[in-house]
């Protein structure tokens, strides 16, 4: 099979662009050394990207006092991604919308309450974001439930169940669409700053619904065959989470300790992130007291307590969306 020169040219261009992104600012010479491409190839690619606006001309500088070199700067504002997170917080149904640049930095955000979450709720937030940032190229959503092939299978919001979510927003906005479970998105965001060969479990306790978990192994979110990995409310361990009194440290503490112990025996995570607004010192002490055996104590993970998962969700969604954009997938998302 012959080499497709057009594909090679595009591949080289993407290599140079995203290497410059990681450096933020660089020269032709340095990029040629980093990518293994010729000086002339890198120079031509950068010229094309300057013309398209994806790269900006920087200063003419000399590191050694000799002939100055042209510096090039990655334009992180050339395109943007939109992250939308649907949550129920303190009994209120909320959607948080955040726009990120190609460095993953937040440049705009908004939040609004709704009587109930439905497709029109997201459209209102998307329209507002696109009006402010028409350069948005990817839509990423976090939902409390399970999605399969773009269709919402289970969800805390009844109006979304059975909806062809991906198709609806692709057809309306003609942009790639990413859907992620809320806890999967959160643990993905937390994992951004953790070594990629770790096993990480995130567990969210929303009070109004049963808890959910997200699992990362070697840097990848474990979703399972049908997307139900982490739906721990299905676990037959004799705990009624909906009737649980979260204000009783011993009751909730021992239940959580038991849950963590199960993950220890199946996943053996290095980190467990617990998301909830009830983690007093008494609850934390009870969780540690509830470890059933000394042997299990030796494999018990590091526990991180987070009052809320909003920050990690947005971090995870924007990171995933930027990765999709970097892959060169700028048309319909399949």
């Amino acid at each position: 099979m012959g080499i497709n020169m057009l594909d090679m040219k595009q591949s080289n261009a993407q290599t140079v662009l995203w290497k410059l992104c990681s450096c933020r600012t660089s020269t032709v010479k340095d990029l040629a050394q980093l990518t293994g491409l010729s000086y002339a190839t890198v120079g031509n690619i950068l010229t094309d990207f300057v013309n398209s606006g994806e790269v900006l001309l920087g200063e003419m500088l000399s590191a050694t006092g000799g002939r100055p070199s042209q510096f090039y700067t990655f334009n992180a504002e050339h395109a943007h991604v939109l992250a939308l997170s649907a949550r129920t917080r303190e009994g209120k149904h909320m959607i948080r919308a955040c726009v990120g640049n190609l460095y993953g930095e937040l440049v705009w955000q908004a939040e609004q309450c709704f009587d109930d979450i439905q497709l029109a709720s997201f459209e209102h937030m998307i329209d507002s974001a696109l009006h402010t940032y028409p350069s948005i190229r990817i839509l990423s959503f976090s939902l409390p439930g399970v999605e399969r092939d773009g269709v919402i299978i289970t969800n805390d919001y009844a109006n979304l169940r059975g909806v062809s979510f991906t198709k609806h927003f692709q057809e309306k906005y003609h942009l790639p669409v990413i859907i992620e479970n809320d806890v999967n998105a959160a643990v993905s965001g937390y994992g951004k700053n953790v070594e990629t060969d770790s096993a990480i479990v995130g567990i969210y306790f929303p009070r109004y619904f049963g808890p959910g978990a997200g699992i990362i192994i070697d840097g990848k979110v474990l979703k399972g065959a049908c997307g139900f990995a982490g739906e721990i409310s299905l676990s037959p361990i004799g705990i009624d989470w909906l009737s649980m009194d979260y204000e009783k440290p011993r009751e909730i503490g021992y239940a959580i300790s038991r849950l963590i112990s199960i993950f220890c025996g199946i996943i053996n995570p290095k980190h467990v992130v617990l998301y909830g607004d009830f983690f007093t010192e008494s609850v934390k002490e009870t969780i540690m007291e509830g470890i059933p055996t000394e042997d299990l104590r030796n494999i018990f993970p590091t526990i991180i307590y987070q009052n809320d998962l909003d920050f990690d969700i947005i971090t995870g969604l924007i990171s995933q969306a930027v990765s999709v954009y970097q892959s060169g997938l700028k048309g319909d998302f399949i």
Side-chain angles (χ1 to χ4, degrees), residues 226-288:
C226 300
F228 276 79
E231 293 295 312
I232 53 180
S233 294
L234 301 176
S235 303
I237 58 177
I239 299 174
D240 185 352
W241 296 101
L242 294 182
S243 65
M244 179 70 65
D245 189 342
Y246 285 81
E247 304 306 320
K248 292 182 178 180
R250 302 199 73 78
E251 181 178 344
I252 186 62
Y254 279 125
I256 292 175
S257 180
R258 186 174 180 184
L259 196 56
I260 295 174
S261 298
I262 292 172
F263 278 110
C264 285
I266 299 174
I267 304 296
N268 188 204
K270 187 172 183 179
H271 305 271
V272 169
V273 188
L274 299 179
Y275 296 100
D277 59 1
F278 55 87
F279 289 113
T280 62
E281 290 305 314
S282 296
V283 173
K284 295 177 184 178
E285 291 173 4
T286 306
I287 290 173
M288 298 308 297

Side-chain angles (χ1 to χ4, degrees), residues 115-126:
D115 292 335
D116 195 10
I117 301 295
Q118 49 193 314
L119 292 177
S121 310
F122 292 100
E123 291 171 3
H124 178 80
M125 304 298 286
I126 295 170

Side-chain angles (χ1 to χ4, degrees), residues 11 25 27 29 36 48-49 98 123 146 153 155 164 168 207 228 235 250 256-257 271-272 274 310 318-319 326 330 333:
S11 176
T25 297
T27 64
K29 179 181 177 181
D48 290 341
F49 280 133
C98 296
E123 291 171 3
V146 175
I153 305 302
N155 200 271
S164 296
H168 174 84
R207 293 184 183 243
F228 276 79
S235 303
R250 302 199 73 78
I256 292 175
S257 180
H271 305 271
V272 169
L274 299 179
D310 274 350
I318 288 180
S319 175
Q326 287 181 341
K330 303 173 186 178
F333 184 72

Side-chain angles (χ1 to χ4, degrees), residues 137-139 170 173-177 324-325 327-334:
R137 296 293 178 264
I138 308 283
L139 305 179
Q170 281 182 343
Y173 294 103
H174 305 288
L175 292 172
V177 172
V324 168
Y325 186 86
S327 73
L329 191 53
K330 303 173 186 178
D332 290 340
F333 184 72
I334 300 176

Side-chain angles (χ1 to χ4, degrees), residues 202-215:
I203 310 175
Y204 173 44
F205 301 90
R207 293 184 183 243
Y208 307 101
F209 307 100
I215 303 162

